[in-house]
Amino acid sequence: MNVLRTLEDLNLFVSKIKQTGKTIGFVPTMGFLHSGHISLIHLSRKKTEVTIASIYVNPSQFNDSNDFEKYPKNEKNDLALLEQNSCDAVFIPTRLEIESLKKVSVDLGDLDNVMEGRFRPGHFKGVVEVVYRLFSVVKPDKAFFGEKDFQQLLVIQKMVSDTKLPIDILGAPVVRESNGLAMSSRNSRLSFEAREKAGFIFEILNSFGQVKRSVLENRLQGYGFELEYLETHCFGNQNRLFIAGVYDGVRLIDNIKIK
Ligand code: PAF
């Protein structure tokens, strides 16, 4: 696997691939990889000829500096996982190089006013900035995002459509731990006991509509889950139920498809 730490290395790698006419699949990440990320690498390998991942913890998308500082990192393990899963290259840029690239700002409309947009002011602006910058240098044909961050997936689709970038944005289903907890790099910050119990979030999502909302809210409270939102939204033809809150000091989000 090619480990590309500078824009110069990346540009050289990308231009060689473009010369061969092969398609590029891109999986942007913030590292501390888990099976959710690896499912995106597999999807990219299935849909495109060369897969590039990136690892960059983007400061501009953290509305809470504490969350940014505590964001878990393990580059050695990330590189081993990417290599084992036949990723062709990984781009690990510095902040200076990323910030030297042109950024865009997109009007996200209502997407920026609900759920993550409402509870994390400025978050999607930071996501749009960094993903656009990465797209401008990786120049992928397709890029892959997990549906755990479903609203982020919609934001990226809107950014690509508004800026007319010729990139297909594909989502992949949420990957879960054996108790149903949605995989997230932040899960590593839960205590062992909290992580074991945290399957209740998925159970509660699945009981929505069968049990009164107040009962579900009481259950969440009983587990010590500080609920931020539990909302249904219809995007296109997809109706989904979304949840976010703080559990054991860690902010978690999840969502499921509903009828
Ligand atoms: O989903 C993430 O890990 C990040 O938001 C992303 C897309 C890599 C941008 O920093």
Side-chain angles (χ1 to χ4, degrees), residues 26-29 33-48 51 53 81-82 85-87 143-148 170-176 183:
F26 180 39
V27 181
T29 83
L33 304 182
H34 50 68
S35 315
H37 297 113
I38 299 307
S39 75
L40 300 177
I41 299 288
H42 290 167
L43 190 60
S44 172
R45 283 181 40 76
K46 209 164 110 184
K47 303 258 180 207
T48 62
T51 291
L81 270 177
L82 291 171
N85 288 281
S86 309
C87 184
F144 301 86
F145 294 83
E147 288 183 350
K148 182 180 76 72
L170 303 177
V174 182
V175 178
R176 300 184 178 279
M183 294 254 181

PDB file of all heavy atoms in Angstrom, residues 26-29 33-48 51 53 81-82 85-87 143-148 170-176 183:
ATOM      1  N   PHE A  26     -12.807   6.573  -3.371  1.00  0.00           N
ATOM      2  CA  PHE A  26     -12.202   7.317  -2.252  1.00  0.00           C
ATOM      3  C   PHE A  26     -13.004   7.100  -0.962  1.00  0.00           C
ATOM      4  O   PHE A  26     -14.239   7.203  -0.957  1.00  0.00           O
ATOM      5  CB  PHE A  26     -12.181   8.809  -2.619  1.00  0.00           C
ATOM      6  CG  PHE A  26     -11.575   9.699  -1.567  1.00  0.00           C
ATOM      7  CD1 PHE A  26     -10.451   9.320  -0.840  1.00  0.00           C
ATOM      8  CD2 PHE A  26     -12.131  10.949  -1.297  1.00  0.00           C
ATOM      9  CE1 PHE A  26      -9.890  10.150   0.123  1.00  0.00           C
ATOM     10  CE2 PHE A  26     -11.579  11.788  -0.346  1.00  0.00           C
ATOM     11  CZ  PHE A  26     -10.461  11.389   0.375  1.00  0.00           C
ATOM     12  N   VAL A  27     -12.283   6.804   0.097  1.00  0.00           N
ATOM     13  CA  VAL A  27     -12.904   6.626   1.419  1.00  0.00           C
ATOM     14  C   VAL A  27     -12.240   7.604   2.402  1.00  0.00           C
ATOM     15  O   VAL A  27     -11.185   7.302   2.962  1.00  0.00           O
ATOM     16  CB  VAL A  27     -12.752   5.155   1.920  1.00  0.00           C
ATOM     17  CG1 VAL A  27     -13.416   4.991   3.288  1.00  0.00           C
ATOM     18  CG2 VAL A  27     -13.317   4.168   0.911  1.00  0.00           C
ATOM     19  N   PRO A  28     -12.835   8.799   2.583  1.00  0.00           N
ATOM     20  CA  PRO A  28     -12.246   9.733   3.551  1.00  0.00           C
ATOM     21  C   PRO A  28     -12.581   9.301   4.982  1.00  0.00           C
ATOM     22  O   PRO A  28     -13.719   8.902   5.257  1.00  0.00           O
ATOM     23  CB  PRO A  28     -12.931  11.064   3.229  1.00  0.00           C
ATOM     24  CG  PRO A  28     -14.132  10.734   2.438  1.00  0.00           C
ATOM     25  CD  PRO A  28     -14.023   9.351   1.903  1.00  0.00           C
ATOM     26  N   THR A  29     -11.594   9.377   5.875  1.00  0.00           N
ATOM     27  CA  THR A  29     -11.840   8.991   7.278  1.00  0.00           C
ATOM     28  C   THR A  29     -11.080   9.941   8.202  1.00  0.00           C
ATOM     29  O   THR A  29     -10.218  10.698   7.760  1.00  0.00           O
ATOM     30  CB  THR A  29     -11.349   7.548   7.586  1.00  0.00           C
ATOM     31  OG1 THR A  29      -9.926   7.596   7.862  1.00  0.00           O
ATOM     32  CG2 THR A  29     -11.620   6.570   6.470  1.00  0.00           C
ATOM     33  N   LEU A  33      -9.700   3.369  12.670  1.00  0.00           N
ATOM     34  CA  LEU A  33     -10.602   2.633  11.782  1.00  0.00           C
ATOM     35  C   LEU A  33     -11.243   1.424  12.458  1.00  0.00           C
ATOM     36  O   LEU A  33     -10.644   0.778  13.317  1.00  0.00           O
ATOM     37  CB  LEU A  33      -9.825   2.185  10.536  1.00  0.00           C
ATOM     38  CG  LEU A  33      -9.132   3.315   9.764  1.00  0.00           C
ATOM     39  CD1 LEU A  33      -8.438   2.764   8.530  1.00  0.00           C
ATOM     40  CD2 LEU A  33     -10.126   4.411   9.373  1.00  0.00           C
ATOM     41  N   HIS A  34     -12.454   1.126  12.026  1.00  0.00           N
ATOM     42  CA  HIS A  34     -13.200  -0.029  12.533  1.00  0.00           C
ATOM     43  C   HIS A  34     -13.889  -0.711  11.345  1.00  0.00           C
ATOM     44  O   HIS A  34     -13.741  -0.264  10.190  1.00  0.00           O
ATOM     45  CB  HIS A  34     -14.204   0.407  13.605  1.00  0.00           C
ATOM     46  CG  HIS A  34     -15.068   1.565  13.189  1.00  0.00           C
ATOM     47  ND1 HIS A  34     -16.014   1.466  12.197  1.00  0.00           N
ATOM     48  CD2 HIS A  34     -15.097   2.850  13.603  1.00  0.00           C
ATOM     49  CE1 HIS A  34     -16.608   2.628  12.037  1.00  0.00           C
ATOM     50  NE2 HIS A  34     -16.058   3.501  12.873  1.00  0.00           N
ATOM     51  N   SER A  35     -14.678  -1.739  11.650  1.00  0.00           N
ATOM     52  CA  SER A  35     -15.294  -2.510  10.556  1.00  0.00           C
ATOM     53  C   SER A  35     -16.210  -1.672   9.664  1.00  0.00           C
ATOM     54  O   SER A  35     -16.428  -2.046   8.506  1.00  0.00           O
ATOM     55  CB  SER A  35     -16.111  -3.673  11.096  1.00  0.00           C
ATOM     56  OG  SER A  35     -15.406  -4.327  12.075  1.00  0.00           O
ATOM     57  N   GLY A  36     -16.763  -0.584  10.193  1.00  0.00           N
ATOM     58  CA  GLY A  36     -17.595   0.292   9.356  1.00  0.00           C
ATOM     59  C   GLY A  36     -16.754   0.878   8.231  1.00  0.00           C
ATOM     60  O   GLY A  36     -17.157   0.851   7.058  1.00  0.00           O
ATOM     61  N   HIS A  37     -15.564   1.400   8.589  1.00  0.00           N
ATOM     62  CA  HIS A  37     -14.677   1.952   7.546  1.00  0.00           C
ATOM     63  C   HIS A  37     -14.260   0.854   6.566  1.00  0.00           C
ATOM     64  O   HIS A  37     -14.193   1.089   5.351  1.00  0.00           O
ATOM     65  CB  HIS A  37     -13.396   2.521   8.177  1.00  0.00           C
ATOM     66  CG  HIS A  37     -13.625   3.671   9.105  1.00  0.00           C
ATOM     67  ND1 HIS A  37     -13.406   3.599  10.460  1.00  0.00           N
ATOM     68  CD2 HIS A  37     -14.050   4.936   8.861  1.00  0.00           C
ATOM     69  CE1 HIS A  37     -13.669   4.772  11.014  1.00  0.00           C
ATOM     70  NE2 HIS A  37     -14.068   5.596  10.077  1.00  0.00           N
ATOM     71  N   ILE A  38     -13.971  -0.310   7.133  1.00  0.00           N
ATOM     72  CA  ILE A  38     -13.467  -1.395   6.262  1.00  0.00           C
ATOM     73  C   ILE A  38     -14.557  -1.825   5.265  1.00  0.00           C
ATOM     74  O   ILE A  38     -14.256  -2.153   4.116  1.00  0.00           O
ATOM     75  CB  ILE A  38     -12.932  -2.580   7.118  1.00  0.00           C
ATOM     76  CG1 ILE A  38     -11.757  -2.084   7.995  1.00  0.00           C
ATOM     77  CG2 ILE A  38     -12.510  -3.765   6.257  1.00  0.00           C
ATOM     78  CD1 ILE A  38     -10.621  -1.370   7.251  1.00  0.00           C
ATOM     79  N   SER A  39     -15.834  -1.747   5.692  1.00  0.00           N
ATOM     80  CA  SER A  39     -16.913  -2.098   4.747  1.00  0.00           C
ATOM     81  C   SER A  39     -16.903  -1.105   3.569  1.00  0.00           C
ATOM     82  O   SER A  39     -17.232  -1.466   2.437  1.00  0.00           O
ATOM     83  CB  SER A  39     -18.273  -2.118   5.449  1.00  0.00           C
ATOM     84  OG  SER A  39     -18.722  -0.805   5.683  1.00  0.00           O
ATOM     85  N   LEU A  40     -16.500   0.148   3.842  1.00  0.00           N
ATOM     86  CA  LEU A  40     -16.437   1.158   2.755  1.00  0.00           C
ATOM     87  C   LEU A  40     -15.267   0.848   1.817  1.00  0.00           C
ATOM     88  O   LEU A  40     -15.371   1.032   0.597  1.00  0.00           O
ATOM     89  CB  LEU A  40     -16.284   2.564   3.342  1.00  0.00           C
ATOM     90  CG  LEU A  40     -17.408   3.045   4.270  1.00  0.00           C
ATOM     91  CD1 LEU A  40     -17.083   4.416   4.841  1.00  0.00           C
ATOM     92  CD2 LEU A  40     -18.741   3.093   3.534  1.00  0.00           C
ATOM     93  N   ILE A  41     -14.164   0.376   2.395  1.00  0.00           N
ATOM     94  CA  ILE A  41     -13.008  -0.007   1.556  1.00  0.00           C
ATOM     95  C   ILE A  41     -13.432  -1.164   0.638  1.00  0.00           C
ATOM     96  O   ILE A  41     -13.158  -1.154  -0.568  1.00  0.00           O
ATOM     97  CB  ILE A  41     -11.795  -0.437   2.433  1.00  0.00           C
ATOM     98  CG1 ILE A  41     -11.332   0.706   3.342  1.00  0.00           C
ATOM     99  CG2 ILE A  41     -10.655  -1.008   1.590  1.00  0.00           C
ATOM    100  CD1 ILE A  41     -10.623   1.849   2.647  1.00  0.00           C
ATOM    101  N   HIS A  42     -14.158  -2.139   1.208  1.00  0.00           N
ATOM    102  CA  HIS A  42     -14.597  -3.286   0.394  1.00  0.00           C
ATOM    103  C   HIS A  42     -15.541  -2.838  -0.718  1.00  0.00           C
ATOM    104  O   HIS A  42     -15.429  -3.279  -1.859  1.00  0.00           O
ATOM    105  CB  HIS A  42     -15.272  -4.346   1.269  1.00  0.00           C
ATOM    106  CG  HIS A  42     -14.299  -5.044   2.165  1.00  0.00           C
ATOM    107  ND1 HIS A  42     -14.660  -5.848   3.211  1.00  0.00           N
ATOM    108  CD2 HIS A  42     -12.939  -5.036   2.186  1.00  0.00           C
ATOM    109  CE1 HIS A  42     -13.583  -6.299   3.830  1.00  0.00           C
ATOM    110  NE2 HIS A  42     -12.526  -5.827   3.220  1.00  0.00           N
ATOM    111  N   LEU A  43     -16.460  -1.922  -0.376  1.00  0.00           N
ATOM    112  CA  LEU A  43     -17.410  -1.441  -1.387  1.00  0.00           C
ATOM    113  C   LEU A  43     -16.662  -0.698  -2.496  1.00  0.00           C
ATOM    114  O   LEU A  43     -16.940  -0.876  -3.683  1.00  0.00           O
ATOM    115  CB  LEU A  43     -18.428  -0.512  -0.710  1.00  0.00           C
ATOM    116  CG  LEU A  43     -19.619  -0.097  -1.549  1.00  0.00           C
ATOM    117  CD1 LEU A  43     -20.427  -1.313  -2.002  1.00  0.00           C
ATOM    118  CD2 LEU A  43     -20.531   0.863  -0.774  1.00  0.00           C
ATOM    119  N   SER A  44     -15.690   0.114  -2.094  1.00  0.00           N
ATOM    120  CA  SER A  44     -14.915   0.866  -3.080  1.00  0.00           C
ATOM    121  C   SER A  44     -14.149  -0.092  -3.992  1.00  0.00           C
ATOM    122  O   SER A  44     -14.083   0.107  -5.214  1.00  0.00           O
ATOM    123  CB  SER A  44     -13.945   1.806  -2.349  1.00  0.00           C
ATOM    124  OG  SER A  44     -13.072   2.396  -3.271  1.00  0.00           O
ATOM    125  N   ARG A  45     -13.583  -1.152  -3.395  1.00  0.00           N
ATOM    126  CA  ARG A  45     -12.831  -2.122  -4.212  1.00  0.00           C
ATOM    127  C   ARG A  45     -13.748  -2.837  -5.206  1.00  0.00           C
ATOM    128  O   ARG A  45     -13.329  -3.222  -6.289  1.00  0.00           O
ATOM    129  CB  ARG A  45     -12.108  -3.128  -3.298  1.00  0.00           C
ATOM    130  CG  ARG A  45     -10.848  -2.501  -2.675  1.00  0.00           C
ATOM    131  CD  ARG A  45     -10.093  -3.447  -1.779  1.00  0.00           C
ATOM    132  NE  ARG A  45     -10.015  -4.819  -2.275  1.00  0.00           N
ATOM    133  CZ  ARG A  45      -9.236  -5.253  -3.251  1.00  0.00           C
ATOM    134  NH1 ARG A  45      -8.438  -4.414  -3.865  1.00  0.00           N
ATOM    135  NH2 ARG A  45      -9.256  -6.520  -3.604  1.00  0.00           N
ATOM    136  N   LYS A  46     -15.011  -3.021  -4.787  1.00  0.00           N
ATOM    137  CA  LYS A  46     -15.968  -3.691  -5.672  1.00  0.00           C
ATOM    138  C   LYS A  46     -16.384  -2.771  -6.833  1.00  0.00           C
ATOM    139  O   LYS A  46     -16.563  -3.211  -7.956  1.00  0.00           O
ATOM    140  CB  LYS A  46     -17.206  -4.048  -4.839  1.00  0.00           C
ATOM    141  CG  LYS A  46     -17.935  -5.272  -5.322  1.00  0.00           C
ATOM    142  CD  LYS A  46     -18.870  -5.790  -4.275  1.00  0.00           C
ATOM    143  CE  LYS A  46     -20.289  -5.544  -4.725  1.00  0.00           C
ATOM    144  NZ  LYS A  46     -21.264  -5.923  -3.731  1.00  0.00           N
ATOM    145  N   LYS A  47     -16.527  -1.476  -6.525  1.00  0.00           N
ATOM    146  CA  LYS A  47     -17.110  -0.555  -7.510  1.00  0.00           C
ATOM    147  C   LYS A  47     -16.089   0.196  -8.359  1.00  0.00           C
ATOM    148  O   LYS A  47     -16.468   0.831  -9.342  1.00  0.00           O
ATOM    149  CB  LYS A  47     -17.969   0.503  -6.798  1.00  0.00           C
ATOM    150  CG  LYS A  47     -19.076  -0.073  -5.950  1.00  0.00           C
ATOM    151  CD  LYS A  47     -20.383   0.050  -6.666  1.00  0.00           C
ATOM    152  CE  LYS A  47     -21.531  -0.525  -5.862  1.00  0.00           C
ATOM    153  NZ  LYS A  47     -22.615  -0.986  -6.692  1.00  0.00           N
ATOM    154  N   THR A  48     -14.825   0.228  -7.916  1.00  0.00           N
ATOM    155  CA  THR A  48     -13.819   0.999  -8.663  1.00  0.00           C
ATOM    156  C   THR A  48     -12.517   0.194  -8.754  1.00  0.00           C
ATOM    157  O   THR A  48     -12.360  -0.830  -8.086  1.00  0.00           O
ATOM    158  CB  THR A  48     -13.518   2.367  -7.985  1.00  0.00           C
ATOM    159  OG1 THR A  48     -12.982   2.121  -6.685  1.00  0.00           O
ATOM    160  CG2 THR A  48     -14.746   3.228  -7.859  1.00  0.00           C
ATOM    161  N   THR A  51      -8.420   2.039  -4.961  1.00  0.00           N
ATOM    162  CA  THR A  51      -9.038   2.631  -3.762  1.00  0.00           C
ATOM    163  C   THR A  51      -8.021   3.453  -2.973  1.00  0.00           C
ATOM    164  O   THR A  51      -6.939   2.966  -2.640  1.00  0.00           O
ATOM    165  CB  THR A  51      -9.643   1.523  -2.870  1.00  0.00           C
ATOM    166  OG1 THR A  51     -10.762   0.969  -3.559  1.00  0.00           O
ATOM    167  CG2 THR A  51     -10.110   2.068  -1.522  1.00  0.00           C
ATOM    168  N   ALA A  53      -7.775   5.772   0.544  1.00  0.00           N
ATOM    169  CA  ALA A  53      -8.406   6.230   1.799  1.00  0.00           C
ATOM    170  C   ALA A  53      -7.664   7.481   2.243  1.00  0.00           C
ATOM    171  O   ALA A  53      -6.544   7.741   1.781  1.00  0.00           O
ATOM    172  CB  ALA A  53      -8.294   5.142   2.854  1.00  0.00           C
ATOM    173  N   LEU A  81      -4.662  -2.229   9.124  1.00  0.00           N
ATOM    174  CA  LEU A  81      -6.015  -2.622   8.682  1.00  0.00           C
ATOM    175  C   LEU A  81      -6.229  -2.333   7.199  1.00  0.00           C
ATOM    176  O   LEU A  81      -6.785  -3.152   6.462  1.00  0.00           O
ATOM    177  CB  LEU A  81      -7.060  -1.839   9.472  1.00  0.00           C
ATOM    178  CG  LEU A  81      -7.561  -2.466  10.760  1.00  0.00           C
ATOM    179  CD1 LEU A  81      -8.525  -1.518  11.454  1.00  0.00           C
ATOM    180  CD2 LEU A  81      -8.266  -3.790  10.460  1.00  0.00           C
ATOM    181  N   LEU A  82      -5.765  -1.166   6.759  1.00  0.00           N
ATOM    182  CA  LEU A  82      -5.947  -0.794   5.347  1.00  0.00           C
ATOM    183  C   LEU A  82      -5.166  -1.741   4.448  1.00  0.00           C
ATOM    184  O   LEU A  82      -5.651  -2.202   3.416  1.00  0.00           O
ATOM    185  CB  LEU A  82      -5.523   0.661   5.118  1.00  0.00           C
ATOM    186  CG  LEU A  82      -6.419   1.719   5.748  1.00  0.00           C
ATOM    187  CD1 LEU A  82      -5.802   3.101   5.643  1.00  0.00           C
ATOM    188  CD2 LEU A  82      -7.813   1.709   5.093  1.00  0.00           C
ATOM    189  N   ASN A  85      -6.720  -5.097   4.120  1.00  0.00           N
ATOM    190  CA  ASN A  85      -7.938  -5.085   3.319  1.00  0.00           C
ATOM    191  C   ASN A  85      -7.723  -4.562   1.903  1.00  0.00           C
ATOM    192  O   ASN A  85      -8.659  -4.134   1.231  1.00  0.00           O
ATOM    193  CB  ASN A  85      -9.030  -4.311   4.063  1.00  0.00           C
ATOM    194  CG  ASN A  85      -9.524  -5.108   5.258  1.00  0.00           C
ATOM    195  OD1 ASN A  85     -10.324  -6.026   5.101  1.00  0.00           O
ATOM    196  ND2 ASN A  85      -8.990  -4.821   6.437  1.00  0.00           N
ATOM    197  N   SER A  86      -6.453  -4.610   1.486  1.00  0.00           N
ATOM    198  CA  SER A  86      -6.063  -4.320   0.106  1.00  0.00           C
ATOM    199  C   SER A  86      -6.433  -2.931  -0.383  1.00  0.00           C
ATOM    200  O   SER A  86      -6.815  -2.756  -1.545  1.00  0.00           O
ATOM    201  CB  SER A  86      -6.642  -5.367  -0.854  1.00  0.00           C
ATOM    202  OG  SER A  86      -6.345  -6.646  -0.409  1.00  0.00           O
ATOM    203  N   CYS A  87      -6.345  -1.953   0.507  1.00  0.00           N
ATOM    204  CA  CYS A  87      -6.507  -0.567   0.073  1.00  0.00           C
ATOM    205  C   CYS A  87      -5.232  -0.223  -0.718  1.00  0.00           C
ATOM    206  O   CYS A  87      -4.132  -0.627  -0.339  1.00  0.00           O
ATOM    207  CB  CYS A  87      -6.644   0.317   1.320  1.00  0.00           C
ATOM    208  SG  CYS A  87      -6.958   2.025   0.951  1.00  0.00           S
ATOM    209  N   ALA A 143     -17.077   8.226  -4.265  1.00  0.00           N
ATOM    210  CA  ALA A 143     -16.618   8.339  -2.880  1.00  0.00           C
ATOM    211  C   ALA A 143     -17.670   7.697  -1.977  1.00  0.00           C
ATOM    212  O   ALA A 143     -18.867   7.693  -2.302  1.00  0.00           O
ATOM    213  CB  ALA A 143     -16.403   9.798  -2.504  1.00  0.00           C
ATOM    214  N   PHE A 144     -17.196   7.126  -0.875  1.00  0.00           N
ATOM    215  CA  PHE A 144     -18.033   6.245  -0.058  1.00  0.00           C
ATOM    216  C   PHE A 144     -18.154   6.765   1.373  1.00  0.00           C
ATOM    217  O   PHE A 144     -17.142   7.113   2.002  1.00  0.00           O
ATOM    218  CB  PHE A 144     -17.425   4.830  -0.065  1.00  0.00           C
ATOM    219  CG  PHE A 144     -17.326   4.284  -1.462  1.00  0.00           C
ATOM    220  CD1 PHE A 144     -16.214   4.573  -2.257  1.00  0.00           C
ATOM    221  CD2 PHE A 144     -18.362   3.546  -2.004  1.00  0.00           C
ATOM    222  CE1 PHE A 144     -16.135   4.111  -3.569  1.00  0.00           C
ATOM    223  CE2 PHE A 144     -18.298   3.086  -3.320  1.00  0.00           C
ATOM    224  CZ  PHE A 144     -17.174   3.363  -4.104  1.00  0.00           C
ATOM    225  N   PHE A 145     -19.392   6.795   1.883  1.00  0.00           N
ATOM    226  CA  PHE A 145     -19.661   7.316   3.224  1.00  0.00           C
ATOM    227  C   PHE A 145     -20.623   6.375   3.951  1.00  0.00           C
ATOM    228  O   PHE A 145     -21.543   5.834   3.333  1.00  0.00           O
ATOM    229  CB  PHE A 145     -20.298   8.714   3.132  1.00  0.00           C
ATOM    230  CG  PHE A 145     -19.360   9.740   2.554  1.00  0.00           C
ATOM    231  CD1 PHE A 145     -19.222   9.865   1.170  1.00  0.00           C
ATOM    232  CD2 PHE A 145     -18.580  10.547   3.372  1.00  0.00           C
ATOM    233  CE1 PHE A 145     -18.335  10.791   0.627  1.00  0.00           C
ATOM    234  CE2 PHE A 145     -17.700  11.475   2.840  1.00  0.00           C
ATOM    235  CZ  PHE A 145     -17.567  11.593   1.465  1.00  0.00           C
ATOM    236  N   GLY A 146     -20.419   6.232   5.263  1.00  0.00           N
ATOM    237  CA  GLY A 146     -21.284   5.343   6.051  1.00  0.00           C
ATOM    238  C   GLY A 146     -22.621   6.010   6.352  1.00  0.00           C
ATOM    239  O   GLY A 146     -22.699   7.217   6.572  1.00  0.00           O
ATOM    240  N   GLU A 147     -23.660   5.183   6.379  1.00  0.00           N
ATOM    241  CA  GLU A 147     -25.008   5.714   6.654  1.00  0.00           C
ATOM    242  C   GLU A 147     -25.229   5.993   8.134  1.00  0.00           C
ATOM    243  O   GLU A 147     -26.279   6.501   8.509  1.00  0.00           O
ATOM    244  CB  GLU A 147     -26.074   4.758   6.122  1.00  0.00           C
ATOM    245  CG  GLU A 147     -26.146   4.779   4.607  1.00  0.00           C
ATOM    246  CD  GLU A 147     -27.239   3.897   4.035  1.00  0.00           C
ATOM    247  OE1 GLU A 147     -27.845   3.112   4.805  1.00  0.00           O
ATOM    248  OE2 GLU A 147     -27.482   3.989   2.814  1.00  0.00           O
ATOM    249  N   LYS A 148     -24.266   5.670   8.993  1.00  0.00           N
ATOM    250  CA  LYS A 148     -24.418   6.080  10.398  1.00  0.00           C
ATOM    251  C   LYS A 148     -24.515   7.609  10.440  1.00  0.00           C
ATOM    252  O   LYS A 148     -25.311   8.170  11.164  1.00  0.00           O
ATOM    253  CB  LYS A 148     -23.263   5.602  11.264  1.00  0.00           C
ATOM    254  CG  LYS A 148     -23.480   6.015  12.731  1.00  0.00           C
ATOM    255  CD  LYS A 148     -22.381   5.578  13.628  1.00  0.00           C
ATOM    256  CE  LYS A 148     -21.143   6.409  13.501  1.00  0.00           C
ATOM    257  NZ  LYS A 148     -21.241   7.771  14.062  1.00  0.00           N
ATOM    258  N   LEU A 170     -21.695   7.467  -2.732  1.00  0.00           N
ATOM    259  CA  LEU A 170     -22.436   6.259  -2.377  1.00  0.00           C
ATOM    260  C   LEU A 170     -22.402   6.034  -0.872  1.00  0.00           C
ATOM    261  O   LEU A 170     -21.371   6.228  -0.219  1.00  0.00           O
ATOM    262  CB  LEU A 170     -21.834   5.039  -3.081  1.00  0.00           C
ATOM    263  CG  LEU A 170     -21.763   5.128  -4.611  1.00  0.00           C
ATOM    264  CD1 LEU A 170     -21.092   3.913  -5.211  1.00  0.00           C
ATOM    265  CD2 LEU A 170     -23.169   5.257  -5.179  1.00  0.00           C
ATOM    266  N   GLY A 171     -23.553   5.615  -0.336  1.00  0.00           N
ATOM    267  CA  GLY A 171     -23.648   5.316   1.093  1.00  0.00           C
ATOM    268  C   GLY A 171     -23.579   3.821   1.322  1.00  0.00           C
ATOM    269  O   GLY A 171     -23.906   3.033   0.430  1.00  0.00           O
ATOM    270  N   ALA A 172     -23.146   3.428   2.517  1.00  0.00           N
ATOM    271  CA  ALA A 172     -23.117   2.001   2.863  1.00  0.00           C
ATOM    272  C   ALA A 172     -23.791   1.829   4.225  1.00  0.00           C
ATOM    273  O   ALA A 172     -23.691   2.709   5.094  1.00  0.00           O
ATOM    274  CB  ALA A 172     -21.683   1.510   2.914  1.00  0.00           C
ATOM    275  N   PRO A 173     -24.487   0.691   4.399  1.00  0.00           N
ATOM    276  CA  PRO A 173     -25.263   0.480   5.628  1.00  0.00           C
ATOM    277  C   PRO A 173     -24.432   0.576   6.902  1.00  0.00           C
ATOM    278  O   PRO A 173     -23.226   0.293   6.892  1.00  0.00           O
ATOM    279  CB  PRO A 173     -25.794  -0.947   5.474  1.00  0.00           C
ATOM    280  CG  PRO A 173     -25.592  -1.323   4.056  1.00  0.00           C
ATOM    281  CD  PRO A 173     -24.536  -0.443   3.485  1.00  0.00           C
ATOM    282  N   VAL A 174     -25.088   0.943   7.992  1.00  0.00           N
ATOM    283  CA  VAL A 174     -24.439   1.033   9.304  1.00  0.00           C
ATOM    284  C   VAL A 174     -23.915  -0.365   9.678  1.00  0.00           C
ATOM    285  O   VAL A 174     -24.617  -1.354   9.515  1.00  0.00           O
ATOM    286  CB  VAL A 174     -25.477   1.453  10.379  1.00  0.00           C
ATOM    287  CG1 VAL A 174     -24.822   1.615  11.756  1.00  0.00           C
ATOM    288  CG2 VAL A 174     -26.197   2.738   9.960  1.00  0.00           C
ATOM    289  N   VAL A 175     -22.692  -0.403  10.171  1.00  0.00           N
ATOM    290  CA  VAL A 175     -22.146  -1.675  10.682  1.00  0.00           C
ATOM    291  C   VAL A 175     -22.248  -1.602  12.200  1.00  0.00           C
ATOM    292  O   VAL A 175     -21.959  -0.559  12.797  1.00  0.00           O
ATOM    293  CB  VAL A 175     -20.686  -1.872  10.212  1.00  0.00           C
ATOM    294  CG1 VAL A 175     -20.092  -3.156  10.786  1.00  0.00           C
ATOM    295  CG2 VAL A 175     -20.618  -1.902   8.684  1.00  0.00           C
ATOM    296  N   ARG A 176     -22.701  -2.710  12.821  1.00  0.00           N
ATOM    297  CA  ARG A 176     -22.985  -2.690  14.262  1.00  0.00           C
ATOM    298  C   ARG A 176     -22.116  -3.663  15.041  1.00  0.00           C
ATOM    299  O   ARG A 176     -21.719  -4.702  14.507  1.00  0.00           O
ATOM    300  CB  ARG A 176     -24.468  -3.031  14.499  1.00  0.00           C
ATOM    301  CG  ARG A 176     -25.372  -2.032  13.818  1.00  0.00           C
ATOM    302  CD  ARG A 176     -26.857  -2.241  14.096  1.00  0.00           C
ATOM    303  NE  ARG A 176     -27.578  -1.168  13.408  1.00  0.00           N
ATOM    304  CZ  ARG A 176     -27.721   0.053  13.894  1.00  0.00           C
ATOM    305  NH1 ARG A 176     -27.258   0.331  15.092  1.00  0.00           N
ATOM    306  NH2 ARG A 176     -28.340   0.994  13.197  1.00  0.00           N
ATOM    307  N   MET A 183     -21.163   1.055  14.982  1.00  0.00           N
ATOM    308  CA  MET A 183     -19.704   1.217  15.066  1.00  0.00           C
ATOM    309  C   MET A 183     -19.343   2.689  14.908  1.00  0.00           C
ATOM    310  O   MET A 183     -19.850   3.371  14.008  1.00  0.00           O
ATOM    311  CB  MET A 183     -19.026   0.459  13.939  1.00  0.00           C
ATOM    312  CG  MET A 183     -19.186  -1.018  14.058  1.00  0.00           C
ATOM    313  SD  MET A 183     -17.639  -1.721  14.600  1.00  0.00           S
ATOM    314  CE  MET A 183     -18.111  -3.443  14.625  1.00  0.00           C
TER     315      MET A 183
END
